[in-house]
Amino acid sequence: MNTIFIILALVAFSIPAIVSYRWRHSIRLVANPKVELFVRVLLILSSLIAVITTVGIVLSLLFESIRFFNLVSPLEFLTSTVWSPQTALRGDQVGGSGVFGSLPLLAGTMLISAIAMTVAVPVGLFAAIYLAEYATPRFRNWAKPALEILAGVPTVVYGFFAALTVAPILRETGTVLGLDIASESALAAGSVMGIMIIPFVSSLSDDVIRAVPRSLRDASLGLGATQSETIRQVVLPAALPGIVSAVLLAASRAIGETMIVVMAAGLAAKLTANPLEAVTTVTVQIVTLLVGDQEFDSAKTLAAFALGLLLFCVTLTLNFIAFKVVQRYREQYD
Amino acid sequence: MLAQQQIDPSTPTMGQNQQMSIHLENNLKVKVSDVAVYYGDKQALFGIDLDIYKNQVTALIGPSGCGKSTFLRCINRMNDTIESCRVTGSIEIDGVNISDRSVDVVELRSRIGIVFQKANPFPKSIYDNVSYGPRIHGLAKDRQHLDHIVESSLERAGLWKEVSDRLDEPGTGLSGGQQQRLCIARTIAVGPDVILMDEPCSALDPIATAKIEELMDELRQNFTIIIVTHSMQQAARVSQKTAFFHLGKLVECGETEQIFTNPQDSRTQDYITGRIG
């Protein structure tokens, strides 16, 4: 019912446009400079909105971070291994001095992201290779959308799946094996996050693998290479730049992911590489810092901006590295 | 293994005529009997019978869509890679039916090389392009041997002089004609006995074409060459045998000179004089 209304509304709105268009063009057959100008301005504005928003966000991150660094030294922020974001409400408060060391948060983020990538990259890539190279079209036609549904599941669902299903299972398995697994382990959050980003890797990789020209496969098969030799030595190298960017996108997604870690990872900032322990991440701490009533000029609140900036820098660096890798190793086919 | 048919032509009990026919049979490389090809429900080739002999260039001519390329791709079973494609009939190479279950398609393709219409070098260095086949088949004992295979293949493809100082550069950076010769070198490097060429010069200028035609004439000393071509002049220049295809059927096959000067079928006559196609 709704759809019909929308369609009717669209038709109704477009009638004046069509009429005016026909009317104008019945008078002048040359391209109307005003229409051209209007279209051009519209397009420029649209692209500017994206650019300006990005610049605005980065600038606000930057300025708020500068305010934060006036209160807390950047050295402490970048090198201290203790994260204890408290500010004194009164001068004489006990334990009122906070320490803002981002290292444990960064380590936690990296640990969880690494676990997620360990799950997502092999599974996603192999799934993509299967879909692109081996699967029959019929299987592919339902398997690919099915895989993409994974990307459509709200992350909060993954979150409670991680917290209520995966984490207890891991802990019980750990008990049987004699391992001490925290109930909010990095492993639980990371593996569920890995499942979540599988479609990012697989769907994009599948597209780039299929974009490798058939002639290259024919050349390899024609020389007597087997299908797997062809994939390993011809198709994957040719698709590598695309695969790297797919992996990168997945990595940025993992680093920036919030909901799963809020629910399944811990709050305690611990500097550890043990996936069985509870860790916290940059995103979780940003959420914790901003939830509730906060003054907007305390170091505690401003720390969120500094963390945001840090996250942004990490992602940017990752992008840059990937760009260089792609430039160095790409095998260009044309 | 595709075993070579061993017939001793000098058996003393045989008469002159028998010896002649055995001599011919001994030179028979590919025997195609009653081959039909279907793409899904559509039949592309109808009952093809064709004999192809060693050390000769056999040209397949005919208008576009007549099934020449499809036929060519049957000979090294490249059609296996097309989902809906089905091939019936028998193709014997050195007396072994290639669609037999015991035939390893990978080994078959290493013996029946193919050069495609559009030069398709791998996006790798010139060296890696040529060494690709020998590497996957484990033909080289060591690096030195591999270097030797690469050099001699490029040499035989008439490309060595032009690229010997830049083997590390990407093969895709060469000119069209060089790329096609690189593809020929890549095919030779595996050590096939038959080379299939699917309109190898259709994207090349006359000078590059002349080079490749010259090359074909040299290569036929060691290889059996089957070439699909749209250019009747090319067929006349390079081939010893010519087969004319029309609408999925083999219309006529014979000595190239006879096909072009005295065709038996009126359709062949029409095609070579430019009335159909």
Side-chain angles (χ1 to χ4, degrees):
Chain A
M1 213 47 197
N2 257 339
T3 343
I4 295 169
F5 274 124
I6 292 170
I7 290 168
L8 282 179
L10 278 179
V11 171
F13 280 124
S14 51
I15 285 168
I18 292 167
V19 169
S20 79
Y21 182 84
R22 291 202 66 91
W23 175 71
R24 280 160 183 267
H25 284 256
S26 60
I27 299 169
R28 291 172 53 176
L29 284 170
V30 288
N32 190 328
K34 273 183 201 157
V35 173
E36 291 296 311
L37 186 72
F38 173 73
V39 167
R40 201 175 169 147
V41 169
L42 186 75
L43 297 180
I44 290 174
L45 280 181
S46 307
S47 56
L48 277 184
I49 286 175
V51 175
I52 289 172
T53 315
T54 313
V55 172
I57 289 175
V58 172
L59 284 183
S60 102
L61 274 181
L62 213 56
F63 288 134
E64 300 297 329
S65 301
I66 288 170
R67 281 177 65 194
F68 171 74
F69 288 129
N70 284 334
L71 300 171
V72 176
S73 90
L75 198 69
E76 180 192 314
F77 183 70
L78 291 175
T79 57
S80 169
T81 57
V82 179
W83 175 260
S84 165
Q86 286 146 27
T87 42
L89 292 176
R90 304 182 306 272
D92 57 344
Q93 198 176 4
V94 181
S97 58
V99 185
F100 294 86
S102 64
L103 274 184
L105 309 187
L106 212 53
T109 300
M110 290 304 159
L111 180 62
I112 289 184
S113 301
I115 295 168
M117 297 310 280
T118 316
V119 173
V121 172
V123 175
L125 193 56
F126 292 160
I129 292 171
Y130 178 74
L131 284 180
E133 298 286 327
Y134 291 94
T136 60
R138 251 180 63 198
F139 178 77
R140 198 189 127 75
N141 280 346
W142 72 261
K144 200 180 177 193
L147 204 58
E148 280 164 3
I149 287 176
L150 273 182
V153 176
T155 55
V156 66
V157 174
Y158 283 110
F160 62 69
F161 177 63
L164 302 180
T165 312
V166 176
I169 290 176
L170 279 177
R171 203 179 44 198
E172 275 159 36
T173 318
T175 320
V176 172
L177 297 174
L179 290 169
D180 185 25
I181 301 179
S183 54
E184 294 182 322
S185 65
L187 191 60
S191 51
V192 171
M193 195 193 282
I195 305 277
M196 183 195 81
I197 56 181
I198 285 172
F200 286 82
V201 181
S202 73
S203 194
L204 282 171
S205 302
D206 175 63
D207 289 342
V208 293
I209 289 171
R210 283 165 59 84
V212 173
R214 191 188 168 81
S215 67
L216 290 183
R217 292 187 180 85
D218 277 353
S220 175
L221 294 172
L223 287 168
T226 62
Q227 197 171 4
S228 73
E229 282 167 339
T230 303
I231 292 167
R232 260 181 298 151
Q233 305 195 25
V234 176
V235 177
L236 288 185
L240 188 72
I243 292 173
V244 169
S245 51
V247 168
L248 187 87
L249 181 75
S252 325
R253 188 64 213 261
I255 289 171
E257 170 53 36
T258 312
M259 214 56 224
I260 294 177
V261 280
V262 163
M263 297 174 81
L267 283 173
K270 213 183 296 177
L271 190 61
T272 175
N274 183 357
L276 307 181
E277 283 187 56
V279 295
T280 189
T281 69
V282 177
T283 50
V284 169
Q285 289 308 315
I286 293 177
V287 171
T288 339
L289 289 173
L290 295 182
V291 167
D293 295 331
Q294 303 290 345
E295 327 149 56
F296 261 92
D297 52 354
S298 76
K300 198 176 160 186
T301 317
L302 291 173
F305 287 95
L307 287 178
L309 186 68
L310 184 71
L311 216 50
F312 179 72
C313 290
V314 169
T315 320
L316 206 65
T317 315
L318 221 68
N319 272 313
F320 183 74
I321 293 170
F323 178 72
K324 285 286 165 199
V325 168
V326 167
Q327 250 188 350
R328 169 79 180 74
Y329 292 105
R330 80 180 306 178
E331 290 193 343
Q332 198 156 14
Y333 56 83
D334 274 318
Chain B
M1 259 320 204
L2 302 169
Q4 186 116 353
Q5 230 177 19
Q6 289 296 332
I7 298 172
D8 185 1
S10 58
T11 314
T13 52
M14 287 187 186
Q16 190 66 30
N17 276 351
Q18 268 173 311
Q19 273 197 18
M20 274 296 287
S21 76
I22 283 173
H23 178 70
L24 261 181
E25 201 167 297
N26 208 14
N27 269 328
L28 181 63
K29 188 72 193 172
V30 184
K31 183 170 180 57
V32 178
S33 328
D34 198 28
V35 162
V37 177
Y38 304 82
Y39 290 111
D41 294 336
K42 195 175 158 283
Q43 188 165 4
L45 281 178
F46 302 83
I48 308 291
D49 295 297
L50 183 63
D51 291 345
I52 289 161
Y53 295 92
K54 265 177 214 166
N55 303 109
Q56 286 193 339
V57 177
T58 303
L60 312 179
I61 60 169
S64 295
C66 68
K68 322 177 284 283
S69 296
T70 300
F71 176 70
L72 195 74
R73 292 168 60 96
C74 290
I75 299 173
N76 70 347
R77 286 179 55 185
M78 278 306 276
N79 284 334
D80 289 13
T81 61
I82 299 171
E83 200 95 14
S84 63
C85 186
R86 198 159 53 84
V87 180
T88 63
S90 97
I91 298 174
E92 286 178 15
I93 294 175
D94 295 328
V96 175
N97 188 342
I98 61 162
S99 44
D100 197 88
R101 228 182 260 172
S102 64
V103 171
D104 178 7
V105 68
V106 163
E107 215 241 310
L108 172 75
R109 289 190 192 139
S110 74
R111 297 201 40 204
I112 318 289
I114 186 161
V115 176
F116 295 93
Q117 179 171 6
K118 187 171 169 286
N120 53 356
F122 298 124
K124 300 176 189 292
S125 70
I126 293 169
Y127 184 95
D128 287 344
N129 259 285
V130 182
S131 64
Y132 181 82
R135 263 193 192 136
I136 57 173
H137 292 295
L139 298 180
K141 291 189 289 284
D142 48 36
R143 177 75 190 196
Q144 219 176 353
H145 189 199
L146 192 62
D147 287 349
H148 174 74
I149 293 176
V150 170
E151 179 176 343
S152 71
S153 305
L154 284 168
E155 190 90 60
R156 286 162 89 179
L159 195 60
W160 177 251
K161 282 200 193 82
E162 291 159 61
V163 301
S164 60
D165 55 341
R166 47 175 175 147
L167 293 175
D168 293 336
E169 285 176 30
T172 41
L174 297 172
S175 74
Q178 288 173 325
Q179 285 191 14
Q180 197 57 292
R181 277 180 285 150
L182 177 63
C183 291
I184 293 173
R186 182 174 70 182
T187 306
I188 296 172
V190 185
D193 13 289
V194 180
I195 300 178
L196 311 173
M197 294 185 172
D198 191 354
E199 297 177 45
C201 304
S202 64
L204 303 182
D205 69 29
I207 293 167
T209 301
K211 275 194 180 154
I212 293 199
E213 287 180 2
E214 216 171 282
L215 180 61
M216 273 187 251
D217 209 47
E218 282 165 30
L219 290 177
R220 90 179 158 92
Q221 309 304 324
N222 301 303
F223 302 97
T224 305
I225 297 178
I226 308 171
I227 175 176
V228 165
T229 176
H230 266 134
S231 154
M232 280 173 281
Q233 289 89 333
Q234 183 170 59
R237 281 192 300 262
V238 300
S239 70
Q240 285 72 50
K241 290 265 173 25
T242 296
F244 171 62
F245 284 72
H246 186 50
L247 301 175
K249 295 194 175 76
L250 175 62
V251 174
E252 189 171 353
C253 174
E255 301 289 331
T256 298
E257 205 179 308
Q258 175 252 314
I259 294 280
F260 282 102
T261 55
N262 184 22
Q264 304 298 304
D265 195 288
S266 61
R267 285 169 291 177
T268 318
Q269 172 83 38
D270 288 347
Y271 183 69
I272 61 173
T273 53
R275 257 173 285 175
I276 53 171

